Amino acid sequence: MIAVIGLLAGIALGLLWHPVVPVWAEPYLPIAIVAAMDAVVGGIRALIERRFDERIFVISFLSNVLIAAFLVFLGDQLGVGAQISTGVVVVLAMRIFANAAAIRRLLFRA
Amino acid sequence: MDRAAAAGHRDADGLLDAFIAQAVADDYADVAPMGPGERRPPSRRDLPTALIAVAVAVVIGLIGAVAILTARGSDDERDRTHAELEQRVAAQTVVVEQRQADVDQATARVDALQQDLLDSAAAEQQADQTERLARQAGMAAVAGPGVVVTIDDATGAQAGSLNRVLDRDLQLIVNALWKMGAAGIAINGQRLTALTAIRSAGDAILVDYRPLSPPYRIEALGTSSAQPDDSDLTRLLDGLRSSYGLDSSVVAGDVALPAGDLRTPHVALVGAAAGEQDVQEGSTP
């Protein structure tokens, strides 16, 4: 519950603060969004399954974001940034879909 | 479906299945689900972890909000960029039109200048011809390689004696120089023109009606410095020396001839100038 409050606070902060994304960070924004969504959906699923754990939430999000950002950075340096970004987004999107499917099964038994 | 077929099916999907299973591995797989109303052990819910979790949640929300704002703002950005590009295109179009106008103007100017040049080419040719004719007619000062013929009376010659240089001698020398291809001749600084007379008045020789005094220095421009021994000039000077004792010398060197005084015709009109030039040109062999 405290994580949900933090999430809402972050959204409000972003809407009010209206930060400008620096140019160098723009390739990482989609990755960050997908990684964040992955963490949120995974957290929601765990919450519903009563398995939620802040420690795992934090570690999984940070590690996913760091690995994804590093992969994109590496890809940019190697000239395959777009392909690496696609791969990262695909994997994270698969996780999102899997977790969303689990949530759906838990909530609607379908 | 028998076991082998099922195994083959599993093997065929095995790689993809394994990939998906690993990729979408549940982060919370190791956490045992809690019963209703059950709470985590306190060690798992210590304060720093909860704070970090909140911070992560804030970051996630922030990222989402920023993403939304960026996506929405990109429309404005697109419009702004589009408008700016339109503006830039319009400005550059104006610049291009100006440059094109400049180019057209410059092209027209080049054409005009070329036409002027073509027009003036004829005029220049005329000017060149005029200058050439003026040099030949003795109306322009000229300088260049040539020969200087110096001739003097015989030593101790008396007035009226034949041992003096006569107008006729000078005429013969001048004619010999013309024959040798002289482009211009001056006697004691008096340029010979087509209308210059060499004649005597009493004891004096007049060139262009100006009395000269010996020694006579005849400068001829353009004659070959190497005089053949049997040339008219050599024979003439030898004859004058042997017959009348007139000292003479021919020295090759640079000569500078002044412009002659070609008097303005009293009778001829300007329209007849061309014919007059022909006469002058004809006087130079």
Side-chain angles (χ1 to χ4, degrees):
Chain A
M1 188 53 66
I2 194 166
V4 174
I5 292 168
L7 191 66
L8 294 175
I11 291 171
L13 186 63
L15 291 175
L16 292 177
W17 184 24
H18 204 316
V20 176
V21 181
V23 173
W24 60 265
E26 268 176 3
Y28 304 97
L29 189 61
I31 302 301
I33 291 163
V34 177
M37 279 185 68
D38 171 53
V40 168
V41 174
I44 289 170
R45 177 191 175 185
L47 207 59
I48 291 169
E49 291 177 347
R50 299 190 59 76
R51 296 193 291 138
F52 184 73
D53 188 294
E54 286 100 343
R55 207 176 114 264
I56 291 174
F57 174 71
V58 169
I59 290 171
S60 77
F61 171 73
L62 289 181
S63 68
N64 281 351
V65 164
L66 285 177
I67 291 169
F70 175 72
L71 280 176
V72 172
F73 170 77
L74 200 63
D76 273 341
Q77 298 303 309
L78 296 174
V80 290
Q83 289 88 330
I84 294 263
S85 294
T86 304
V88 169
V89 168
V90 165
V91 170
L92 291 176
M94 281 168 63
R95 283 167 57 94
I96 290 169
F97 271 104
N99 284 327
I103 291 167
R104 197 181 64 230
R105 277 197 299 276
L106 288 169
L107 289 181
F108 306 110
R109 310 281 173 214
Chain B
M1 189 187 288
D2 59 14
R3 284 178 60 96
H9 183 71
R10 242 194 336 269
D11 285 344
D13 291 341
L15 183 62
L16 199 55
D17 283 341
F19 172 70
I20 291 173
Q22 285 177 8
V24 301
D26 184 5
D27 290 332
Y28 302 89
D30 293 339
V31 181
M34 295 178 293
E38 189 184 346
R39 297 188 64 84
R40 293 270 165 222
S43 64
R44 288 276 182 107
R45 301 204 48 160
D46 51 358
L47 196 59
T49 308
L51 283 178
I52 294 170
V54 170
V56 167
V58 168
V59 167
I60 290 171
L62 193 61
I63 288 170
V66 168
I68 291 165
L69 286 175
T70 305
R72 204 177 57 188
S74 70
D75 284 343
D76 298 341
E77 189 72 25
R78 241 197 318 276
D79 290 346
R80 258 207 312 278
T81 308
H82 187 70
E84 194 187 321
L85 281 177
E86 269 184 345
Q87 214 171 8
R88 217 183 286 178
V89 165
Q92 289 299 314
T93 305
V94 170
V95 169
V96 166
E97 282 171 359
Q98 283 173 350
R99 297 268 159 83
Q100 189 56 51
D102 288 352
V103 166
D104 290 345
Q105 205 178 343
T107 307
R109 193 151 159 260
V110 165
D111 287 345
L113 287 174
Q114 273 180 345
Q115 195 55 49
D116 282 358
L117 194 62
L118 287 175
D119 290 346
S120 70
E124 198 176 338
Q125 201 180 351
Q126 199 119 31
D128 283 345
Q129 195 181 6
T130 305
E131 198 181 44
R132 186 168 54 82
L133 291 175
R135 276 201 303 271
Q136 290 178 348
M139 292 173 68
V142 288
V147 294
V148 178
V149 179
T150 310
I151 189 166
D152 201 355
D153 296 345
T155 316
Q158 298 297 313
S161 82
L162 288 175
N163 294 349
R164 301 184 65 201
V165 176
L166 303 180
D167 52 351
R168 192 175 178 285
D169 302 327
L170 290 184
Q171 285 167 9
L172 289 171
I173 291 170
V174 165
N175 276 343
L177 288 170
W178 285 135
K179 195 176 177 183
M180 286 161 63
I185 296 174
I187 302 173
N188 283 15
Q190 291 297 320
R191 182 75 179 273
L192 301 185
T193 71
L195 299 180
T196 304
I198 303 173
R199 48 171 287 210
S200 58
D203 285 337
I205 292 177
L206 305 182
V207 173
D208 201 17
Y209 303 105
R210 288 187 180 82
L212 305 181
S213 57
Y216 303 98
R217 198 163 179 274
I218 304 157
E219 294 167 289
L221 176 79
T223 48
S224 172
S225 57
Q227 306 295 331
D229 287 337
D230 60 345
S231 71
D232 286 352
L233 181 64
T234 310
R235 275 203 299 275
L236 180 64
L237 294 178
D238 285 346
L240 289 174
R241 184 181 292 112
S242 59
S243 301
Y244 305 106
L246 305 181
D247 287 337
S248 64
S249 68
V250 178
V251 178
D254 283 347
V255 295
L257 309 183
D261 180 19
L262 188 63
R263 284 186 180 77
T264 308
H266 295 293
V267 179
L269 299 173
V270 175
E276 188 189 342
Q277 277 186 349
D278 287 344
V279 171
Q280 291 167 4
E281 212 173 3
S283 69
T284 60

